[in-house]
Amino acid sequence: MTDRVYNFAAGPAVLPIPVLEEAQRDLLSLPGVGISVLEMSHRSPAIEDMMRAAEADIRTLAGIPDNYRILFLQGGASLQFSMVPMNLLGPGQSAGHIVTGHFARMALQEARSVGNINLAGSTEDDGFNRIPGQSELELDPDAAYLHFTTNNTIFGTEWQEEPDSGDVPLVADASSNIFSKPIDINRYGLVYAGAQKNLGAAGVTLVIIRDDLLERSPDTLPAMLNYQTHAKGNSAYNTPPVFAVYILGLVVKWLIAQGGLEAAQRRNREKAGLLYDAIDSSEYFRGHALPGHRSAMNVTFRLPDEDAEQRFVDEAAAQGLAELKGHRSVGGIRASIYNAFPVEGVEVLASFMKEFERTNG
Amino acid sequence: MTDRVYNFAAGPAVLPIPVLEEAQRDLLSLPGVGISVLEMSHRSPAIEDMMRAAEADIRTLAGIPDNYRILFLQGGASLQFSMVPMNLLGPGQSAGHIVTGHFARMALQEARSVGNINLAGSTEDDGFNRIPGQSELELDPDAAYLHFTTNNTIFGTEWQEEPDSGDVPLVADASSNIFSKPIDINRYGLVYAGAQKNLGAAGVTLVIIRDDLLERSPDTLPAMLNYQTHAKGNSAYNTPPVFAVYILGLVVKWLIAQGGLEAAQRRNREKAGLLYDAIDSSEYFRGHALPGHRSAMNVTFRLPDEDAEQRFVDEAAAQGLAELKGHRSVGGIRASIYNAFPVEGVEVLASFMKEFERTNG
C-alpha cells in the first residue's frame, strides 16, 4: 500500500482502496465459485446475481424508481453521443444541445451527424468558464429532448442545478459527476455516464432511461445500438464487460456503506473547498471557473506562466501527487477529486500549493 | 489455488493462471507507478506503453505485418456484425456471408439491416454439423467482401482452412478460435474477435484490418463506429477498456512464452483429441460435428437422453468440472477447451466420461 501515490487523474481515476482489495483478494477465484470473475460466463448464476445486485444497489443509492431501466453498455459516453439521437430523435424531430465544454461540443457534433440538432446555449465565448443561466437558453418546447453535460471535466465547471426544460425530456452526460451528490432522477429522461471517473474502471457505461423514452427506439437500428435490445436482454444481449460491471458494483456498495449520496456530497464539498480556498486566498493561483459555477470534481487553475506550471506538476509528482497537468486543450493545473479521492490527498495538495507559492510566488 | 475448478465455459472462459497471478499481484499498484491499472489514465505513459506492447506482441505472436492495423475496440463481435458492413460496403455494393452456426446467422442478420448481403453458403439444413465445401459456395467476384465464422462455438465445428474467395477480401469472425493455431493473415482483409474466449476477459474486441480496407470507411459514419477514428487514435480516440487490454496483453505474452501459435496448435489438438477419442471409442456418447469438421475449441456431444445429460452435467460439476452444459439452442454437452484450458482438466473429463458410461451406459 505504501507505494501508492495520490492520483489526480481526470479519468480513468482513483478507486476506493477497499474495492481494489476485495477485487485483488478474489481475483483467482470468487469464493464459492472457484472461477475468477475475469473468466466467468455472463450466463452463470453468480454473474447474473452480481449484475442484478449492482442494479439493485444503484436503485438504492440514487433512488431510481421502477419506471427507469438501468443498462450496462460499452463504448463510453462517446458512443452515447450517437446512440441518444439514433434512439430518441423521431423522423422530422429536432433536439437541443447546451455546450459548456469539450465533451458537450463533441456530443453536439456527433448528434448532428445523426439528425437535426439546435444549439440551445453555449458559453464557448467565455472560454467555458461558466454555466449558462436559464434566461440565456433558447429552448424549443417541441424538441425531442434537451441534452446537457452536468460537469465539465476539462474546464472545471458544474451545473449547480439542472436547466429547466419544461416538458421536454432532459438528457444528461453525467460521466464526470454522477453519484457525487444526490440526483433527482425524475427530472431526467435519460442519464448516461462512463464509469471511469466516479463509478469504477473504464469499460462500462451506465445508462438510466425512463420507460417512455425506451419506446422511441426505431426497429431499423443495429441491435447493438438500440436501447431496447439491451433492456430486453438485461444488459446481457451479448457478452457484457463482466469485470467492469463487477468493479462498478463494488464501488456502488462502497458508496452506500459510506453513507450514500448526501454523505458523498458533504465529502466532495469539503475536498473541493480546501482547494478553492487555497486558490481564493492566493494572488499566485488563478481559478479558471467563475465562483458559483465551480466543479466539486475537477479543480482547474493557472499559475503565472507555463514554466511555473510545469515545475508545479513535476515537483508535485516527485512528492507523490500524480497527474495534475491540465488537459492539453487548456493547459494549467487540474486536480480531479472524484468520489474515491481521499481527503488526505487533497490536504497534502493544498499544503503543497501554499509551499510552492511561498518559494515561487 | 486449490479451490479453483476446471471451467469449461464457452466464453467468458478460463484464463492462464500466471496471467491471473500477475494481475492479482499488481492490482493495487503497478510497480513503479503507484496506481492500479484499473485507475490509470489512458493518456499516461505507462498505459500508452502497455497498449503499444500489446500490439507489438500480437504482431510477433501471429506474424502480422505493417500493412495491417491492430485495433482494441468495445462492443464485442456483435457490434462488429454492424461495423463491418457500415465501413466496408460501398454504395451499390453487396457482400457475401457464409452461415455455419448461430453467430454466423446473427452476423448475416445484422449486416442485412445495413446493406445488401448475399448468402454465399449455409449448412443450416444439416443442423450445422459441418463446414461447407468450396464447391458448395456461391461466390460473387464483385462482392465487397466475403464474411465467415472461423469456429462455431455452439455447434463445435471449425474451418480447417479458409474458404478461397479469390480476389474478394475475406472477413472473419474469429472470436472462438483466434490464436489457437497459426494464422496466415495475408489471406484476410479483416479479422475480428471478442477477447473473452482465447485472448482474455470480456470487454475488448480485437480488430485486425488491412490498410486498403481502412480507406473504405465513409466520413458520414458516427466517429465511434468508424474504423479510421480508432486507427488514427491508436485505439484511444476515447477511453479504451484499459484493464481488458492489459489482460489481453498478458495473455499474448503468455502465449509467446508457451512457444507461440504452433505450440498452441499442438496442445489444442492433443486436448481435443483426448475428448474426440473418448467419443469415438464409445457407443454411449454421440459427437455433433462430423469428423473432418470438428472444432479443437468446443467439443459438443449428446448422451442417449436429456435426463442422462443433466445427470452428466450435475455429477461433473460436483467433481469440479464446471460449465459443461451445451448451449440452450442445441442441448447436450459442450466442453470448451480454449488456449488457456489445461490438459490435466481434459484428462479428468475424459476419465469422467469413461466412468459415467460404465455406470450409466
Short mmCIF file of all heavy atoms in Angstrom, two decimals, chain A residues 168-222:
data_model
loop_
_atom_site.label_atom_id
_atom_site.label_comp_id
_atom_site.label_asym_id
_atom_site.label_seq_id
_atom_site.Cartn_x
_atom_site.Cartn_y
_atom_site.Cartn_z
N VAL A 168 -39.96 19.03 -21.98
CA VAL A 168 -39.02 18.36 -22.88
C VAL A 168 -38.10 17.46 -22.04
O VAL A 168 -37.51 17.93 -21.06
CB VAL A 168 -38.19 19.41 -23.65
CG1 VAL A 168 -37.07 18.74 -24.44
CG2 VAL A 168 -39.09 20.23 -24.57
N PRO A 169 -37.97 16.17 -22.40
CA PRO A 169 -37.11 15.29 -21.60
C PRO A 169 -35.66 15.79 -21.56
O PRO A 169 -35.10 16.18 -22.58
CB PRO A 169 -37.20 13.94 -22.33
CG PRO A 169 -38.46 14.00 -23.11
CD PRO A 169 -38.64 15.44 -23.49
N LEU A 170 -35.11 15.75 -20.37
CA LEU A 170 -33.74 16.17 -20.17
C LEU A 170 -32.83 14.93 -20.33
O LEU A 170 -33.09 13.88 -19.74
CB LEU A 170 -33.61 16.72 -18.75
CG LEU A 170 -32.62 17.81 -18.40
CD1 LEU A 170 -32.65 18.97 -19.38
CD2 LEU A 170 -32.91 18.30 -16.98
N VAL A 171 -31.80 15.09 -21.14
CA VAL A 171 -30.81 14.02 -21.34
C VAL A 171 -29.47 14.54 -20.89
O VAL A 171 -29.07 15.64 -21.28
CB VAL A 171 -30.75 13.59 -22.82
CG1 VAL A 171 -29.60 12.61 -23.06
CG2 VAL A 171 -32.08 12.97 -23.25
N ALA A 172 -28.77 13.78 -20.04
CA ALA A 172 -27.51 14.29 -19.48
C ALA A 172 -26.37 13.32 -19.65
O ALA A 172 -26.50 12.13 -19.38
CB ALA A 172 -27.69 14.60 -18.00
N ASP A 173 -25.22 13.88 -20.08
CA ASP A 173 -23.95 13.19 -19.93
C ASP A 173 -23.43 13.54 -18.54
O ASP A 173 -23.00 14.67 -18.30
CB ASP A 173 -22.98 13.67 -21.02
CG ASP A 173 -21.58 13.05 -20.84
OD1 ASP A 173 -21.37 12.26 -19.89
OD2 ASP A 173 -20.71 13.35 -21.68
N ALA A 174 -23.51 12.57 -17.63
CA ALA A 174 -23.12 12.80 -16.24
C ALA A 174 -21.83 12.07 -15.91
O ALA A 174 -21.55 11.76 -14.75
CB ALA A 174 -24.24 12.36 -15.31
N SER A 175 -21.01 11.82 -16.93
CA SER A 175 -19.82 10.98 -16.74
C SER A 175 -18.93 11.47 -15.60
O SER A 175 -18.38 10.67 -14.86
CB SER A 175 -18.99 10.95 -18.03
OG SER A 175 -19.69 10.32 -19.06
N SER A 176 -18.78 12.79 -15.47
CA SER A 176 -17.75 13.25 -14.53
C SER A 176 -18.28 13.71 -13.19
O SER A 176 -17.49 14.16 -12.35
CB SER A 176 -16.87 14.32 -15.19
OG SER A 176 -17.61 15.37 -15.71
N ASN A 177 -19.60 13.61 -12.93
CA ASN A 177 -20.03 13.87 -11.55
C ASN A 177 -21.17 12.96 -11.08
O ASN A 177 -21.78 13.22 -10.04
CB ASN A 177 -20.39 15.34 -11.33
CG ASN A 177 -21.68 15.75 -12.04
OD1 ASN A 177 -22.20 15.01 -12.88
ND2 ASN A 177 -22.18 16.92 -11.72
N ILE A 178 -21.44 11.89 -11.82
CA ILE A 178 -22.55 11.02 -11.41
C ILE A 178 -22.30 10.45 -10.01
O ILE A 178 -21.20 10.06 -9.66
CB ILE A 178 -22.78 9.88 -12.44
CG1 ILE A 178 -24.10 9.18 -12.13
CG2 ILE A 178 -21.59 8.91 -12.47
CD1 ILE A 178 -24.65 8.38 -13.27
N PHE A 179 -23.37 10.45 -9.24
CA PHE A 179 -23.34 9.90 -7.87
C PHE A 179 -22.30 10.57 -6.98
O PHE A 179 -21.81 9.98 -6.02
CB PHE A 179 -23.15 8.37 -7.89
CG PHE A 179 -24.25 7.64 -8.63
CD1 PHE A 179 -24.12 6.30 -8.97
CD2 PHE A 179 -25.43 8.27 -8.99
CE1 PHE A 179 -25.13 5.62 -9.66
CE2 PHE A 179 -26.46 7.61 -9.67
CZ PHE A 179 -26.29 6.28 -10.01
N SER A 180 -21.96 11.82 -7.31
CA SER A 180 -21.11 12.61 -6.42
C SER A 180 -21.97 13.43 -5.46
O SER A 180 -21.45 14.07 -4.55
CB SER A 180 -20.22 13.55 -7.23
OG SER A 180 -21.01 14.54 -7.86
N LYS A 181 -23.28 13.42 -5.69
CA LYS A 181 -24.25 14.18 -4.88
C LYS A 181 -25.62 13.59 -5.21
O LYS A 181 -25.76 12.84 -6.17
CB LYS A 181 -24.17 15.66 -5.24
CG LYS A 181 -24.43 15.97 -6.72
CD LYS A 181 -24.20 17.44 -7.05
CE LYS A 181 -24.42 17.71 -8.53
NZ LYS A 181 -24.09 19.10 -8.92
N PRO A 182 -26.65 13.93 -4.41
CA PRO A 182 -27.98 13.39 -4.70
C PRO A 182 -28.44 13.80 -6.10
O PRO A 182 -28.08 14.87 -6.60
CB PRO A 182 -28.86 14.02 -3.62
CG PRO A 182 -27.92 14.31 -2.49
CD PRO A 182 -26.62 14.71 -3.16
N ILE A 183 -29.22 12.94 -6.73
CA ILE A 183 -29.78 13.25 -8.05
C ILE A 183 -31.29 13.03 -7.99
O ILE A 183 -31.76 12.04 -7.42
CB ILE A 183 -29.12 12.36 -9.14
CG1 ILE A 183 -29.69 12.70 -10.53
CG2 ILE A 183 -29.27 10.86 -8.83
CD1 ILE A 183 -28.94 12.01 -11.68
N ASP A 184 -32.04 14.01 -8.52
CA ASP A 184 -33.49 13.83 -8.62
C ASP A 184 -33.77 13.27 -10.01
O ASP A 184 -33.96 14.00 -10.98
CB ASP A 184 -34.21 15.16 -8.43
CG ASP A 184 -35.72 15.00 -8.54
OD1 ASP A 184 -36.20 13.85 -8.73
OD2 ASP A 184 -36.43 16.02 -8.45
N ILE A 185 -33.78 11.95 -10.10
CA ILE A 185 -33.84 11.30 -11.41
C ILE A 185 -35.12 11.65 -12.14
O ILE A 185 -35.16 11.62 -13.38
CB ILE A 185 -33.67 9.76 -11.27
CG1 ILE A 185 -33.39 9.10 -12.63
CG2 ILE A 185 -34.90 9.14 -10.63
CD1 ILE A 185 -32.06 9.40 -13.23
N ASN A 186 -36.16 12.02 -11.39
CA ASN A 186 -37.43 12.34 -12.04
C ASN A 186 -37.34 13.57 -12.94
O ASN A 186 -38.21 13.81 -13.76
CB ASN A 186 -38.52 12.54 -10.99
CG ASN A 186 -38.78 11.23 -10.25
OD1 ASN A 186 -39.10 10.22 -10.86
ND2 ASN A 186 -38.59 11.25 -8.94
N ARG A 187 -36.27 14.34 -12.78
CA ARG A 187 -36.08 15.49 -13.68
C ARG A 187 -35.49 15.06 -15.02
O ARG A 187 -35.39 15.88 -15.94
CB ARG A 187 -35.16 16.52 -13.02
CG ARG A 187 -35.77 17.08 -11.71
CD ARG A 187 -35.23 18.43 -11.39
NE ARG A 187 -35.42 19.38 -12.51
CZ ARG A 187 -35.09 20.65 -12.46
NH1 ARG A 187 -34.57 21.15 -11.37
NH2 ARG A 187 -35.28 21.44 -13.50
N TYR A 188 -35.07 13.80 -15.14
CA TYR A 188 -34.35 13.35 -16.33
C TYR A 188 -35.14 12.32 -17.13
O TYR A 188 -35.87 11.51 -16.56
CB TYR A 188 -33.01 12.71 -15.94
CG TYR A 188 -32.03 13.65 -15.29
CD1 TYR A 188 -32.09 13.90 -13.92
CD2 TYR A 188 -31.05 14.29 -16.04
CE1 TYR A 188 -31.19 14.77 -13.32
CE2 TYR A 188 -30.14 15.15 -15.44
CZ TYR A 188 -30.22 15.39 -14.08
OH TYR A 188 -29.33 16.24 -13.49
N GLY A 189 -34.94 12.34 -18.43
CA GLY A 189 -35.43 11.26 -19.27
C GLY A 189 -34.37 10.18 -19.43
O GLY A 189 -34.67 8.99 -19.46
N LEU A 190 -33.11 10.63 -19.55
CA LEU A 190 -32.01 9.69 -19.74
C LEU A 190 -30.73 10.30 -19.16
O LEU A 190 -30.46 11.48 -19.37
CB LEU A 190 -31.83 9.39 -21.25
CG LEU A 190 -30.87 8.26 -21.66
CD1 LEU A 190 -31.26 7.73 -23.04
CD2 LEU A 190 -29.41 8.70 -21.69
N VAL A 191 -30.00 9.49 -18.42
CA VAL A 191 -28.69 9.89 -17.90
C VAL A 191 -27.69 8.82 -18.32
O VAL A 191 -27.98 7.63 -18.19
CB VAL A 191 -28.72 9.98 -16.35
CG1 VAL A 191 -27.32 10.29 -15.82
CG2 VAL A 191 -29.71 11.03 -15.89
N TYR A 192 -26.56 9.25 -18.83
CA TYR A 192 -25.51 8.27 -19.14
C TYR A 192 -24.18 8.72 -18.56
O TYR A 192 -23.96 9.92 -18.31
CB TYR A 192 -25.40 8.03 -20.65
CG TYR A 192 -25.00 9.21 -21.50
CD1 TYR A 192 -23.65 9.50 -21.75
CD2 TYR A 192 -25.96 10.02 -22.11
CE1 TYR A 192 -23.28 10.57 -22.57
CE2 TYR A 192 -25.60 11.10 -22.91
CZ TYR A 192 -24.26 11.37 -23.13
OH TYR A 192 -23.91 12.43 -23.93
N ALA A 193 -23.32 7.75 -18.31
CA ALA A 193 -22.03 8.05 -17.69
C ALA A 193 -21.05 6.93 -17.94
O ALA A 193 -21.33 5.77 -17.61
CB ALA A 193 -22.19 8.24 -16.18
N GLY A 194 -19.92 7.25 -18.52
CA GLY A 194 -18.80 6.31 -18.50
C GLY A 194 -18.39 6.10 -17.05
O GLY A 194 -18.43 7.02 -16.24
N ALA A 195 -18.01 4.87 -16.71
CA ALA A 195 -17.80 4.53 -15.30
C ALA A 195 -16.48 5.04 -14.74
O ALA A 195 -16.31 5.09 -13.52
CB ALA A 195 -17.85 3.01 -15.13
N GLN A 196 -15.55 5.44 -15.61
CA GLN A 196 -14.15 5.53 -15.18
C GLN A 196 -13.78 6.78 -14.38
O GLN A 196 -12.61 7.01 -14.14
CB GLN A 196 -13.23 5.39 -16.39
CG GLN A 196 -13.31 6.52 -17.40
CD GLN A 196 -14.37 6.29 -18.47
OE1 GLN A 196 -15.20 5.41 -18.35
NE2 GLN A 196 -14.34 7.10 -19.51
N LYS A 197 -14.78 7.57 -13.95
CA LYS A 197 -14.45 8.72 -13.11
C LYS A 197 -15.00 8.52 -11.69
O LYS A 197 -14.25 8.42 -10.74
CB LYS A 197 -14.98 10.00 -13.75
CG LYS A 197 -14.31 10.28 -15.11
CD LYS A 197 -14.94 11.45 -15.83
CE LYS A 197 -14.50 11.56 -17.27
NZ LYS A 197 -13.12 12.03 -17.48
N ASN A 198 -16.32 8.41 -11.58
CA ASN A 198 -16.92 8.27 -10.25
C ASN A 198 -17.43 6.88 -9.94
O ASN A 198 -17.81 6.61 -8.80
CB ASN A 198 -18.08 9.27 -10.11
CG ASN A 198 -17.62 10.62 -9.59
OD1 ASN A 198 -17.10 10.70 -8.49
ND2 ASN A 198 -17.78 11.66 -10.39
N LEU A 199 -17.48 5.99 -10.93
CA LEU A 199 -18.20 4.73 -10.72
C LEU A 199 -17.34 3.48 -10.79
O LEU A 199 -17.81 2.40 -10.44
CB LEU A 199 -19.30 4.58 -11.78
CG LEU A 199 -20.48 5.53 -11.71
CD1 LEU A 199 -21.48 5.18 -12.79
CD2 LEU A 199 -21.13 5.45 -10.34
N GLY A 200 -16.14 3.59 -11.32
CA GLY A 200 -15.37 2.35 -11.43
C GLY A 200 -14.25 2.48 -12.44
O GLY A 200 -13.61 3.52 -12.54
N ALA A 201 -14.02 1.39 -13.16
CA ALA A 201 -12.94 1.34 -14.14
C ALA A 201 -13.50 1.61 -15.54
O ALA A 201 -14.71 1.55 -15.76
CB ALA A 201 -12.27 -0.03 -14.10
N ALA A 202 -12.62 1.90 -16.48
CA ALA A 202 -13.04 2.07 -17.87
C ALA A 202 -13.57 0.75 -18.41
O ALA A 202 -13.11 -0.32 -18.02
CB ALA A 202 -11.86 2.55 -18.71
N GLY A 203 -14.57 0.85 -19.31
CA GLY A 203 -15.04 -0.36 -19.97
C GLY A 203 -16.52 -0.61 -19.82
O GLY A 203 -17.05 -1.53 -20.44
N VAL A 204 -17.20 0.19 -18.99
CA VAL A 204 -18.65 0.05 -18.89
C VAL A 204 -19.27 1.44 -18.80
O VAL A 204 -18.68 2.36 -18.23
CB VAL A 204 -19.07 -0.84 -17.70
CG1 VAL A 204 -18.61 -0.27 -16.36
CG2 VAL A 204 -20.58 -1.08 -17.69
N THR A 205 -20.43 1.57 -19.43
CA THR A 205 -21.17 2.83 -19.45
C THR A 205 -22.52 2.60 -18.81
O THR A 205 -23.25 1.69 -19.22
CB THR A 205 -21.39 3.30 -20.91
OG1 THR A 205 -20.17 3.18 -21.61
CG2 THR A 205 -21.91 4.73 -20.95
N LEU A 206 -22.83 3.39 -17.81
CA LEU A 206 -24.14 3.29 -17.16
C LEU A 206 -25.14 4.14 -17.93
O LEU A 206 -24.86 5.31 -18.23
CB LEU A 206 -24.04 3.77 -15.71
CG LEU A 206 -25.34 3.77 -14.91
CD1 LEU A 206 -25.84 2.35 -14.68
CD2 LEU A 206 -25.14 4.49 -13.57
N VAL A 207 -26.29 3.56 -18.27
CA VAL A 207 -27.38 4.31 -18.89
C VAL A 207 -28.63 4.10 -18.05
O VAL A 207 -29.00 2.96 -17.75
CB VAL A 207 -27.63 3.85 -20.35
CG1 VAL A 207 -28.89 4.51 -20.92
CG2 VAL A 207 -26.43 4.16 -21.23
N ILE A 208 -29.25 5.20 -17.64
CA ILE A 208 -30.52 5.15 -16.89
C ILE A 208 -31.56 5.83 -17.78
O ILE A 208 -31.41 7.00 -18.12
CB ILE A 208 -30.39 5.88 -15.54
CG1 ILE A 208 -29.21 5.32 -14.74
CG2 ILE A 208 -31.69 5.76 -14.75
CD1 ILE A 208 -28.92 6.10 -13.44
N ILE A 209 -32.57 5.08 -18.19
CA ILE A 209 -33.51 5.60 -19.18
C ILE A 209 -34.95 5.35 -18.72
O ILE A 209 -35.28 4.27 -18.22
CB ILE A 209 -33.24 4.97 -20.58
CG1 ILE A 209 -34.23 5.52 -21.62
CG2 ILE A 209 -33.27 3.45 -20.54
CD1 ILE A 209 -33.88 5.14 -23.06
N ARG A 210 -35.77 6.40 -18.88
CA ARG A 210 -37.18 6.30 -18.47
C ARG A 210 -37.92 5.46 -19.49
O ARG A 210 -37.66 5.54 -20.70
CB ARG A 210 -37.76 7.71 -18.37
CG ARG A 210 -38.89 7.88 -17.37
CD ARG A 210 -39.26 9.34 -17.21
NE ARG A 210 -39.68 9.91 -18.50
CZ ARG A 210 -39.58 11.20 -18.81
NH1 ARG A 210 -39.07 12.06 -17.94
NH2 ARG A 210 -39.97 11.64 -19.98
N ASP A 211 -38.89 4.67 -19.00
CA ASP A 211 -39.58 3.70 -19.86
C ASP A 211 -40.15 4.32 -21.13
O ASP A 211 -40.07 3.72 -22.20
CB ASP A 211 -40.72 3.03 -19.08
CG ASP A 211 -40.20 1.97 -18.11
OD1 ASP A 211 -39.03 1.56 -18.26
OD2 ASP A 211 -40.95 1.58 -17.20
N ASP A 212 -40.75 5.51 -21.02
CA ASP A 212 -41.41 6.07 -22.21
C ASP A 212 -40.39 6.43 -23.29
O ASP A 212 -40.69 6.35 -24.49
CB ASP A 212 -42.27 7.28 -21.85
CG ASP A 212 -41.44 8.40 -21.22
OD1 ASP A 212 -40.75 8.13 -20.21
OD2 ASP A 212 -41.47 9.52 -21.73
N LEU A 213 -39.17 6.78 -22.91
CA LEU A 213 -38.15 7.09 -23.92
C LEU A 213 -37.66 5.81 -24.60
O LEU A 213 -37.28 5.82 -25.78
CB LEU A 213 -36.96 7.82 -23.30
CG LEU A 213 -37.23 9.22 -22.75
CD1 LEU A 213 -35.91 9.96 -22.54
CD2 LEU A 213 -38.12 10.04 -23.68
N LEU A 214 -37.68 4.73 -23.84
CA LEU A 214 -37.24 3.44 -24.37
C LEU A 214 -38.11 3.02 -25.55
O LEU A 214 -37.65 2.31 -26.45
CB LEU A 214 -37.33 2.41 -23.25
CG LEU A 214 -36.54 1.12 -23.33
CD1 LEU A 214 -35.08 1.36 -23.62
CD2 LEU A 214 -36.67 0.36 -22.01
N GLU A 215 -39.35 3.48 -25.55
CA GLU A 215 -40.27 3.09 -26.63
C GLU A 215 -40.00 3.80 -27.94
O GLU A 215 -40.58 3.46 -28.97
CB GLU A 215 -41.72 3.35 -26.19
CG GLU A 215 -42.16 2.37 -25.10
CD GLU A 215 -43.44 2.82 -24.40
OE1 GLU A 215 -44.14 3.70 -24.93
OE2 GLU A 215 -43.71 2.28 -23.31
N ARG A 216 -39.12 4.81 -27.91
CA ARG A 216 -38.88 5.57 -29.15
C ARG A 216 -37.94 4.85 -30.12
O ARG A 216 -37.92 5.19 -31.30
CB ARG A 216 -38.25 6.93 -28.80
CG ARG A 216 -39.14 7.86 -28.01
CD ARG A 216 -38.49 9.23 -27.99
NE ARG A 216 -39.15 10.15 -27.07
CZ ARG A 216 -38.77 11.41 -26.90
NH1 ARG A 216 -37.74 11.89 -27.59
NH2 ARG A 216 -39.40 12.19 -26.06
N SER A 217 -37.14 3.91 -29.64
CA SER A 217 -36.08 3.33 -30.48
C SER A 217 -36.66 2.69 -31.74
O SER A 217 -37.51 1.81 -31.66
CB SER A 217 -35.31 2.27 -29.70
OG SER A 217 -34.78 2.81 -28.52
N PRO A 218 -36.19 3.12 -32.91
CA PRO A 218 -36.71 2.52 -34.15
C PRO A 218 -36.19 1.10 -34.38
O PRO A 218 -35.04 0.79 -34.04
CB PRO A 218 -36.21 3.47 -35.25
CG PRO A 218 -35.10 4.23 -34.66
CD PRO A 218 -35.25 4.22 -33.17
N ASP A 219 -37.03 0.24 -34.96
CA ASP A 219 -36.66 -1.16 -35.21
C ASP A 219 -35.51 -1.29 -36.21
O ASP A 219 -34.86 -2.33 -36.27
CB ASP A 219 -37.85 -1.93 -35.79
CG ASP A 219 -38.98 -2.04 -34.79
OD1 ASP A 219 -38.70 -1.90 -33.58
OD2 ASP A 219 -40.13 -2.26 -35.21
N THR A 220 -35.30 -0.24 -36.98
CA THR A 220 -34.29 -0.32 -38.04
C THR A 220 -32.86 -0.17 -37.53
O THR A 220 -31.92 -0.39 -38.29
CB THR A 220 -34.55 0.78 -39.08
OG1 THR A 220 -34.73 2.02 -38.37
CG2 THR A 220 -35.80 0.49 -39.89
N LEU A 221 -32.70 0.18 -36.27
CA LEU A 221 -31.35 0.36 -35.73
C LEU A 221 -30.61 -0.98 -35.63
O LEU A 221 -31.22 -2.01 -35.34
CB LEU A 221 -31.41 0.95 -34.32
CG LEU A 221 -31.61 2.45 -34.18
CD1 LEU A 221 -31.66 2.81 -32.69
CD2 LEU A 221 -30.51 3.21 -34.87
N PRO A 222 -29.28 -0.96 -35.81
CA PRO A 222 -28.49 -2.15 -35.47
C PRO A 222 -28.79 -2.55 -34.03
O PRO A 222 -28.93 -1.69 -33.15
CB PRO A 222 -27.05 -1.66 -35.62
CG PRO A 222 -27.12 -0.55 -36.62
CD PRO A 222 -28.44 0.13 -36.36
#
